[in-house]
Structure formats: structure tokens, C-alpha cells
Amino acid sequence: MTTITHLINGEHISSERTADVYNPSTGEVIHRVALADCATVQQAIDAAQAAYPAWRKTPAAKRAQIMFRFKQLLEANEARIAQLISLEHGKTLEDAAGELKRGIENVEFACAAPEILKGEYSRNVGPNIDAWSDFQPLGVVAGITPFNFPAMVPLWMYPLAIVCGNCFILKPSERDPSSTLLIAELLLEAGLPKGVMSVVHGDKEAVDALIEAPQVKALSFVGSTSIAEYIYSEGTKRGKRVQALGGAKNHAVLMPDADLDNTVNALMGAAYGSCGERCMAISVAVCVGEQIADALVQKLVPQIQGLKIGAGTNTGLDMGPLVTAAARDRVTGYIDAGVAAGAELVVDGRGLSVPGNETGFFLGGTLFDKVSPEMSIYTDEIFGPVLCIVRVDSLEQAMQLINDHEYGNGTCIFTRDGESARLFCDEIEVGMVGVNVPLPVPVAYHSFGGWKRSLFGDLHAYGPDGVRFYTKRKAITQRWPQRASHEAAQFAFPSNG
Ligand code: NAD
């Protein structure tokens, strides 16, 4: 059995401690992954520190050229990467290729490094004085990423961090590390100097080593809310810059005038795609009025029952398994709790057996109707193929429900009415909003981030906020006096007054 190694300073390095990596479609352990201790993390930090002075001075245009080659290598290796994602995560091949394509968008954005790092310049702000602001790198920065997007989420972080002149250490999820490692190898193949990017696999021990190391100046985290909050508080306590993106409970509001057929199709993909293991998955449909709720249930049921479910690496499927047996059991526990709390279980995905893959971590699509806000299936992030319907009487009630929820990652409204849509966009307390768009994941040149307990920190991920996060500003004010002029000492505060 192979062990997935760390990639530090261009070298493959192993560790004594390992964790099992599963194929969730069969339930078998297929690899082991090395788990870094503090000393291994320090090796990566030392390599990054050694590479930093030269990388910081490398022209942005040269850094961008490496990203151009990286993009080409990612595209050339799409099938191989998608296969690895699908094998270890369980999502379908098409879905895996989709996440890679969205990740490549971030590499494309990073290719604009010379443009995005131009800074700001003002001439003659005072007599013979010019002023400008530089975007300078932070130094060594690190990213800690979740299992559910092993390609895309790391690509939100390091292409941009690196073109901004930083050196990067990535701690990917230990559950599906192979595609993440392959992608990092491609970046070195594209010409990145070795110590500029290292990958250390691991668990809490590796993460804590990154938090504690004074040389690590910033942490980007994406994962569950409890860990996001921990990393934010521990990191900022040590003076680091931290952006920590957490969990979600994303609501779709269905207005009585929604185009129902299109809405049902949109909800199917958004609720059950990737087995619901997306931070932007729709897990609550809020129906305004009984009529649209009844019509929605009627149309959803046959589609949920008809979901094509199987091993992610087979083609033509809608849904694969959940990532681990523990994840499947956790979701099953929520379905049990929903039944016990009195919600109406319309489609029950428990106990699904996929012929030929009986030992895989499968669960069928599940639908609850008449869910109320105090039930755990409503309050908690389930992170599985479970859609809850909540019935309300008005748009205002729907919005109150969403605004009262602790999470504020994504939401959307389905309507034909511009006035309702506009009110929703203005007043909803959520970071990413769709109008007739179920998964409003911003493109790479806008930034991604939730509100409330879906994000800890001030700056969102990637795009313009990403540039701000991975750089610090330096404001330079410069005077070149004319030779003949001599100015007397000035004791009043300098101004143009
Ligand atoms: P997770 O929080 O379990 O793990 C995320 C990372 O933290 C992993 O690298 C893991 O090794 C590390 N980690 C785990 N336990 C730790 C601990 N005790 N101390 C320090 N580090 C620890 O999340 P996950 O299960 O991999 O991913 C699913 C979660 O991620 C969901 O809650 C989902 O909503 C969230 N997510 C959020 C976004 C977003 O943009 N807001 C995007 C993707 C996923």
C-alpha cells in the first residue's frame, strides 16, 4: 500500500505517524497518508524562509509566467486529477472536473500579477513630493483546507499568495490528499523554485505547529466552524493575519411566482450534487405559501427517487458516496433526529445499498417537509444529501428565518419579480446571494466569503480581497528638493493648507 508523502523543498518526505485514506465507494483503505509532527512542519517553514528573499525580489511578471505554465499543466492533467479526486472523495468525475475548472480560474486570476500588484501612485502631493502605496508580501504564509474540494479550495489560496511574493505551506485534508499533492507537484514542474511551496499532510498536530510558528505570518483556513473559530482566535492571538471560512446552512427561497420546473432542477443539483458535501449546497428550501410547497414536493419526489447513485469514478452518475463511514453515520443520525422531532420524511435515503458497492459509504437523497426552526435538521449543518422544506407565509418571514440563522454563507431566491429579488439582495444577512442562481459561488475576480459564523476575519477569500489578504501596504512619501531651494524648519504639522 502506498503512503502519500509530504512535499517539502521539492523532496518527498514521510513520517512515522500515518492515517488511512479510503475509497468511499468501496469502503476499502487504499493508501496511507503521512502525518507531520512539529519538526516536519518546521522543515517546511525553514525551506520557505530560505526561499523567500529571492522569491520576493522575483519580478511579478516572472511569477505570473510560472502560473501560465501551471494552468497549462492543470488542463493537460485534468482527467488524472479528476480521477484522484473522485477515487478518494467519492464525488462524480464530472463534478471533480468542475471543481478543478473553478480552481483553474484562480490560477488565471493570479496570472494577472503584474496588473494587480501595480499599487497606487500620486504625483506632487506637496511641493516636489510624490506618494505611492506598494503591495508587499507578508513572508511565509500557510493554508489549511477541507476534504470537500481537494483541488479547488487550495487553488483559492496559494496561486494568489505566491504571485504576491509569499512562500506558502499547504496543509490539505488528510482524508483525500492525493489530488492536492499531484497539483502541487505540477506547480513545481511549471518552474516554481522548490521552497516557495511545500505541502505537509497532517492533523491537529501539524495545524497547531503552523499556528504557533512565529515565522508564519498569515493563515487561510477553510473547514468547519468550530475549527475556523479556533484557528482565528489562536492565530490572531499570536499576531497573525487570519481568514477562517467555516460551515453553512444555505436557504433557497421559493416565491409563489417562481418558474417551478427550472427551480426544481436547480434545487436537485444544489442539494444533492456532491452528496450535499458543499459549503454552498442548498439544504433548506423555504416555500412562500402552501401552494408552491405542495407543488415542489410533488415534483421533487420522483427526481430524488430517480437519482443515479454509484461509485464516483463511474461516468453518468448524479451522486457518489459520502466521504467516510463516520460522515454517513452522522448524516443518518440527523435523519433519525428529524423523524423523532416530527418532521415529515418524504423520501428516506437511509439504508441504500448500491449493487456491486455494498460496502461503500452510500446514502440516498433524502427530503423532509414541514421542518421547523428548532429542529436539529434545520439548525445544524448536516453536510449530506438531505433537503429540508420549511413553509412560511411571506417573503419577510422567509428573510427573518434566514437572518436569524447563525450561518450566513450563501442563499438564493427563485422568483420572476424584480421587487422581491431586490429587497432580498438588499436586506439578507448572507455573504453570497443568488437570484435564480442556486450556487452563487463568485467567479475568481470577485471574492468568496460568508457572513456571521461562516467566516472569521475581515477579508474574503481570493479575488481582490485575496490580494489584500496576502499583501501588506506600504505608503511611501518621497521628496526630491530642487538643489537651489532651502526650506526652513517647520514645526507646524505638514499640510497643503
Ligand atoms: P474540518 O474542519 O474537519 O477540517 C478542515 C481542516 O482542518 C483539515 O485540514 C483538517 O485536517 C483540519 N483540522 C481538523 N480538526 C482539527 C483540529 N482539531 N485542529 C486543527 N485542525 C483541524 O472540515 P472538513 O470536514 O474537512 O470540511 C467540511 C467543512 O468545511 C464543512 O463544515 C463545510 O461547510 C466547510 N467548508 C466551508 C467552506 C467555505 O468556504 N465556507 C468551503 C468548503 C468547506
Side-chain angles (χ1 to χ4, degrees):
M1 189 174 295
T2 49
T3 298
I4 315 296
T5 54
H6 313 293
L7 181 64
I8 299 176
N9 211 14
E11 306 284 329
H12 288 275
I13 290 173
S14 48
S15 285
E16 263 177 42
R17 252 177 5 109
T18 60
D20 292 337
V21 178
Y22 288 84
N23 173 351
S25 300
T26 62
E28 289 162 353
V29 176
I30 47 168
H31 311 299
R32 293 211 173 83
V33 59
L35 298 179
D37 57 13
C38 290
T40 307
V41 172
Q42 193 58 46
Q43 251 181 292
I45 295 172
D46 292 345
Q49 280 221 294
Y52 179 60
W55 185 244
R56 177 178 183 273
K57 298 268 185 219
T58 302
K62 278 206 177 283
R63 296 183 205 141
Q65 282 167 4
I66 295 170
M67 288 301 155
F68 270 113
R69 286 194 290 274
F70 182 40
K71 167 183 151 64
Q72 288 166 336
L73 285 171
L74 289 172
E75 285 167 345
N77 285 277
E78 179 188 301
R80 205 172 141 210
I81 296 167
Q83 181 74 25
L84 279 181
I85 296 173
S86 183
L87 181 69
E88 293 180 355
H89 176 284
K91 66 176 73 175
T92 66
L93 282 173
E94 294 82 357
D95 193 23
E99 85 154 273
L100 179 63
K101 287 192 177 96
R102 291 303 297 262
I104 291 173
E105 275 186 12
N106 295 91
V107 181
E108 289 164 353
F109 182 75
C111 287
E115 170 67 23
I116 57 188
L117 296 173
K118 269 196 313 207
E120 294 155 353
Y121 182 82
S122 302
R123 190 173 165 73
N124 225 26
V125 296
N128 300 317
I129 300 176
D130 304 324
W132 70 94
S133 297
D134 257 359
F135 295 98
Q136 298 204 342
L138 306 178
V140 179
V141 301
I144 299 146
T145 52
F147 80 87
N148 65 327
F149 285 109
M152 182 182 78
V153 169
L155 289 171
W156 285 359
M157 300 176 181
Y158 63 80
L160 196 52
I162 284 173
V163 295
C164 288
N166 301 285
C167 293
F168 199 92
I169 299 168
L170 176 65
K171 206 303 285 170
S173 172
E174 64 277 34
R175 290 188 229 162
D176 48 8
S178 296
S179 60
T180 322
L181 183 65
L182 170 61
I183 292 173
E185 287 166 347
L186 294 176
L187 181 53
L188 295 189
E189 193 183 324
L192 192 78
K194 286 174 180 166
V196 174
M197 159 89 178
S198 288
V199 178
V200 289
H201 302 289
D203 49 16
K204 181 169 165 52
E205 188 172 340
V207 173
D208 284 343
L210 289 168
I211 294 174
E212 274 157 33
Q215 302 92 338
V216 175
K217 301 298 177 203
L219 294 168
S220 296
F221 172 86
V222 177
S224 55
T225 285
S226 59
I227 313 289
E229 194 165 26
Y230 167 76
I231 286 176
Y232 182 77
S233 65
E234 292 302 313
T236 50
K237 209 187 280 176
R238 289 166 178 79
K240 295 186 201 308
R241 193 176 279 195
V242 183
Q243 53 178 191
L245 283 67
K249 190 82 180 177
N250 306 312
H251 301 64
V253 175
L254 273 70
M255 295 300 287
D257 65 350
D259 170 344
L260 194 57
D261 286 328
N262 279 326
T263 304
V264 168
N265 289 339
L267 282 181
M268 285 300 298
Y272 301 108
S274 204
C275 216
E277 291 174 319
R278 290 179 182 147
C279 65
M280 291 290 276
I282 292 294
S283 48
V284 185
V286 187
C287 294
V288 177
E290 297 292 332
Q291 219 177 339
I292 188 124
D294 292 341
L296 176 69
V297 173
Q298 208 185 3
K299 287 200 180 258
L300 276 177
V301 169
Q303 291 219 31
I304 299 169
Q305 287 167 338
L307 279 168
K308 290 187 249 96
I309 303 174
T313 44
N314 295 340
T315 47
L317 295 174
D318 300 321
M319 221 170 86
L322 285 149
V323 68
T324 56
R328 193 242 347 250
D329 296 346
R330 188 175 162 276
V331 179
T332 306
Y334 272 112
I335 301 173
D336 297 343
V339 173
E344 194 177 298
L345 183 58
V346 186
V347 184
D348 184 359
R350 290 173 296 182
L352 175 79
S353 178
V354 172
N357 287 72
E358 289 80 2
T359 47
F361 309 138
F362 291 97
L363 192 64
T366 297
L367 181 67
F368 276 111
D369 192 6
K370 302 188 179 146
V371 172
S372 53
E374 73 289 348
M375 295 177 182
S376 65
I377 52 169
Y378 176 77
T379 54
D380 296 5
E381 180 182 46
I382 299 178
F383 225 54
V386 181
L387 179 64
C388 295
I389 296 176
V390 179
R391 296 169 177 237
V392 296
D393 295 329
S394 66
L395 175 59
E396 287 69 24
Q397 267 182 24
M399 288 170 56
Q400 192 63 51
L401 192 70
I402 298 170
N403 289 349
D404 286 346
H405 203 285
E406 65 169 327
Y407 295 122
N409 214 41
T411 187
C412 62
I413 184 168
F414 291 97
T415 182
R416 289 186 166 103
D417 176 39
E419 189 184 347
S420 304
R422 196 161 189 280
L423 177 75
F424 189 74
C425 293
D426 276 355
E427 302 290 335
I428 209 72
E429 296 280 315
V430 173
M432 293 169 282
V433 182
V435 176
N436 299 317
V437 171
L439 294 176
V441 177
V443 289
Y445 34 98
H446 290 259
S447 299
F448 180 111
W451 286 11
K452 299 186 276 186
R453 289 176 63 74
S454 293
L455 185 141
F456 301 87
D458 303 307
L459 291 168
H460 290 191
Y462 66 77
D465 268 22
V467 178
R468 291 278 168 142
F469 184 78
Y470 292 123
T471 55
K472 51 190 172 188
R473 303 199 128 208
K474 186 176 276 178
I476 299 161
T477 308
Q478 175 176 272
R479 165 182 282 168
W480 292 108
Q482 288 170 350
R483 274 171 221 271
S485 69
H486 291 282
E487 287 189 16
Q490 265 193 41
F491 296 95
F493 202 67
S495 76
N496 274 322

